[in-house]
Amino acid sequence: MASGLKACVVGSGSNGLSAAIVLAQAGIEVDVFEAEQIPGGATRSMELTLPGFIHDFGSAVYALAAGSPFFSTLPLRDHGLEWVHSPAPLAHPLDDGTAVMLERDLAVTAAALHEDGPPWLELMEPLVKGWRDFAPEVLGPVLKIPKHPWLLARFGMNALRSAKALASRFKNERTRALFAGLAAHSFLSLDEPLSGAFGILMAVPAHAVGFPVARRGSQSITNALCGYLAKLGGKVTTSSRVESLDALAGYELILCDLTPRQLLAVAGQELSEEYKRRLRKFRYGPGAFKVDYALNAPIPWKASQCMRAATVHLGGSFDEIAASEKAVRSGKHPERPFVLLAQPTLFDSSRAPAGKHTAWAYCHVPNGSTFDMLSRLEAQIERFAPGFRETVLARHVLFPSGLESMDANLVGGDIAGGVIDLRQMIFRPTAKLYETSARGVYLCSSSTPPGGGVHGMCGFHAARRALARLQRLKR
Ligand SMILES: Cc1cc2nc3c(=O)[nH]c(=O)nc-3n(C[C@H](O)[C@H](O)[C@H](O)COP(=O)(O)OP(=O)(O)OC[C@H]3O[C@@H](n4cnc5c(N)ncnc54)[C@H](O)[C@@H]3O)c2cc1C
């Protein structure tokens, strides 16, 4: 479309690389500048504990990547990406020594939920069946003319409700607990509007595409994106932090895989005062306190069903998870945190020496927290897997500041690029969305729609906006 043009992308997270691919596909020469030594941002893996143990530094489980409308158009398999599915996407153990299972098959899940099967189906089934049409509708800007209004209306009917309100349709505490764990991915309090939408938005892809991990670790996703970008002629330069956009004067288009605070730092002089005022109002969300484990054995779950799932939610009942998330939203550290845990080596032996395992776990904490949650996080694992601590060969702890030091976009440990409440879902990060007040400068990180998660859709939409604008200017 526009050969002869030069563009650059600041940051090589999944959104930066997606933006670069869209531009390169349009015939534009693209350079990507990455601050860290290896590309990928929060989609990287590394030996964080012991030699031979590969850990996912950030993201680990990939419903949205496997179900991404953009990624599904790319030949990522040809560039080494392979999804590994556990037999069940998710397990949620309870204190009675059993686990509620979210199975890939909707009907099997519904049958196991007994009297809550029909309301589970009513909530999920149309969206699971229509995932291919539904995904592009929800993974983009909110304000648009929908191509599938019926599906969106189905979702919209419930989307604004809180998880607490939606869970009230379930009679069984087990189902309510399962839904709470899914909704807690929102980082919202479970009585806040929109928190219910996250419960649905996590469960629907779990049924439709599964919760896979990437063979050999998350880096395989980034490597596949980089491999395809290189084939299109794009170039990624690492260890190259952009301190000011002044250094990028030769580029007609600049796409920033940055959050608002960083955009202000690198582009401050080029932005209008009004736009800067709006960016400063952008709110970051709670942080994550993360621990990676090297283990000498699989986790000794009381509920053996947990061995069937790569992802395990630890928090017990709905009320307990709700209390944990409410505490975090009000700046406190829960005594019994909700813990998200992944155990990839049960299904992907390439990440650890023979017979050994890894685990990835985090809980939510207030933004920028310096409180040590290790004993509370491990108490939650021990509660459902007594003897867990004896399996630990080594652990690597990342406080919010540690996360941010390895990826500047994780401001205060916020893994989602900013709170996603109603206002910041629609105007993300401002009403201009991907555009900024500076000509040719765009934002393409998870601080733009649709927000956090590895799906590449922020980068995809940002680059499409930039291309559309270019075309309008050429006319
Ligand atoms: C602990 C954790 C767990 C998560 N779990 C999951 C999960 O299981 N599944 C899921 O889908 N999502 C998960 N996420 C969220 C997901 O990883 C992010 O939403 C996603 O990575 C956002 O991609 P991005 O491209 O917007 O930003 P990032 O991946 O953060 O990439 C931004 C890049 O920009 C670079 N950069 C920043 N400033 C500069 C600069 N000035 N110059 C040059 N480069 C710069 C950074 O180094 C980084 O490489 C998790 C994140 C974390 C941290």
Side-chain angles (χ1 to χ4, degrees):
M1 166 236 166
S3 50
L5 268 178
K6 277 186 78 175
C8 73
V9 177
V10 181
S12 70
S14 49
N15 284 312
L17 292 172
S18 296
I21 287 172
V22 172
L23 297 175
Q25 284 174 329
I28 295 177
E29 192 184 325
V30 192
D31 291 323
V32 179
F33 298 108
E34 167 54 49
E36 301 298 325
Q37 286 176 6
I38 38 173
T43 312
R44 275 182 292 170
S45 20
M46 48 193 85
E47 290 180 339
L48 289 171
T49 55
L50 299 172
F53 289 82
I54 315 268
H55 301 278
D56 292 331
F57 153 70
S59 52
V61 183
Y62 293 107
L64 293 176
S68 161
F70 176 56
F71 286 176
S72 61
T73 65
L74 307 179
L76 300 181
R77 186 172 244 286
D78 299 347
H79 293 274
L81 176 60
E82 188 189 335
W83 296 126
V84 178
H85 289 269
S86 47
L90 170 69
H92 187 119
L94 296 169
D95 286 318
D96 64 2
T98 66
V100 201
M101 301 300 293
L102 191 150
E103 304 285 350
R104 180 80 182 271
D105 190 304
L106 196 53
V108 174
T109 307
L113 295 177
H114 302 291
E115 69 267 41
D116 287 335
W120 188 267
L121 286 176
E122 194 192 331
L123 207 52
M124 312 296 176
E125 193 170 28
L127 305 176
V128 172
K129 287 191 169 155
W131 173 253
R132 273 169 182 272
D133 295 329
F134 177 57
E137 297 286 5
V138 283
L139 294 177
V142 177
L143 302 178
K144 61 174 176 295
I145 299 165
K147 286 198 180 123
H148 300 277
W150 184 81
L151 273 177
L152 215 55
R154 255 331 271 226
F155 174 61
M157 265 168 17
N158 295 309
L160 291 183
R161 305 186 66 198
S162 70
K164 188 173 174 191
L166 283 185
S168 67
R169 65 178 64 193
F170 301 126
K171 295 199 177 72
N172 200 319
E173 183 46 48
R174 298 171 69 83
T175 319
R176 289 163 44 77
L178 177 67
F179 193 71
L182 293 161
H185 282 254
S186 64
F187 279 89
L188 298 172
S189 187
L190 300 194
D191 53 8
E192 278 183 74
L194 265 190
S195 56
F198 278 85
I200 301 172
L201 282 177
M202 292 303 295
V204 166
H207 289 301
V209 295
F211 275 5
V213 296
R215 190 172 303 283
R216 293 180 302 282
S218 308
Q219 195 69 46
S220 309
I221 301 174
T222 296
N223 291 351
L225 290 167
C226 287
Y228 180 53
L229 177 62
K231 197 168 175 213
L232 296 171
K235 199 169 130 210
V236 179
T237 308
T238 53
S239 303
S240 184
R241 187 177 298 277
V242 172
E243 306 284 359
S244 162
L245 295 196
D246 292 346
L248 306 174
Y251 295 97
E252 282 95 339
L253 272 183
I254 303 175
L255 275 79
C256 299
D257 185 6
L258 303 175
T259 77
R261 194 177 295 178
Q262 298 148 276
L263 183 71
L264 283 164
V266 300
Q269 288 179 335
E270 303 192 28
L271 305 174
S272 72
E273 286 308 315
E274 173 58 15
Y275 183 69
K276 283 198 271 191
R277 197 178 62 77
R278 288 179 190 274
L279 280 186
R280 283 190 202 107
K281 285 191 172 167
F282 187 76
R283 286 161 295 127
Y284 289 90
F289 178 94
K290 179 170 181 267
V291 191
D292 285 288
Y293 295 97
L295 306 174
N296 65 13
I299 299 176
W301 299 110
K302 257 197 269 181
S304 58
Q305 287 272 68
C306 292
M307 300 290 282
R308 296 179 52 239
T311 305
V312 187
H313 283 166
L314 305 172
S317 68
F318 184 99
D319 288 345
E320 194 186 317
I321 295 171
S324 160
E325 297 312 288
K326 200 176 188 63
V328 173
R329 274 292 262 169
S330 28
K332 299 187 188 122
H333 295 86
E335 199 64 50
R336 295 177 122 193
F338 170 59
V339 175
L340 300 94
L341 183 143
Q343 41 184 5
T345 43
L346 287 183
F347 315 98
D348 174 15
S349 60
S350 68
R351 296 170 180 231
K356 306 285 186 247
H357 289 274
T358 64
W360 164 108
Y362 72 91
C363 65
H364 300 160
V365 289
N367 191 282
S369 161
T370 53
F371 187 86
D372 188 346
M373 289 293 282
L374 182 63
S375 59
R376 294 184 186 184
L377 182 147
E378 283 189 1
Q380 288 290 59
I381 307 179
E382 278 282 334
R383 173 178 163 194
F384 299 103
F388 167 72
R389 284 199 183 95
E390 281 91 88
T391 67
V392 176
L393 294 170
R395 49 172 78 69
H396 179 267
V397 177
L398 278 165
F399 284 70
S401 58
L403 288 165
E404 189 174 343
S405 71
M406 292 170 74
D407 175 351
N409 283 29
L410 306 176
V411 177
D414 178 349
I415 71 170
V419 173
I420 304 201
D421 56 8
L422 199 53
R423 188 156 74 86
Q424 290 201 166
M425 189 181 67
I426 300 173
F427 306 117
R428 190 168 183 83
T430 70
K432 286 178 166 296
L433 306 182
Y434 312 96
E435 286 176 33
T436 71
S437 62
R439 198 170 161 169
V441 179
Y442 294 78
L443 269 173
C444 68
S445 72
S446 61
S447 301
T448 63
V454 176
H455 39 60
M457 296 302 288
C458 309
F460 167 80
H461 287 297
R464 293 280 290 250
R465 286 278 167 108
L467 290 174
R469 178 116 204 233
L470 265 184
Q471 271 187 330
R472 278 202 305 276
L473 290 175
K474 276 171 76 183
R475 274 193 215 127

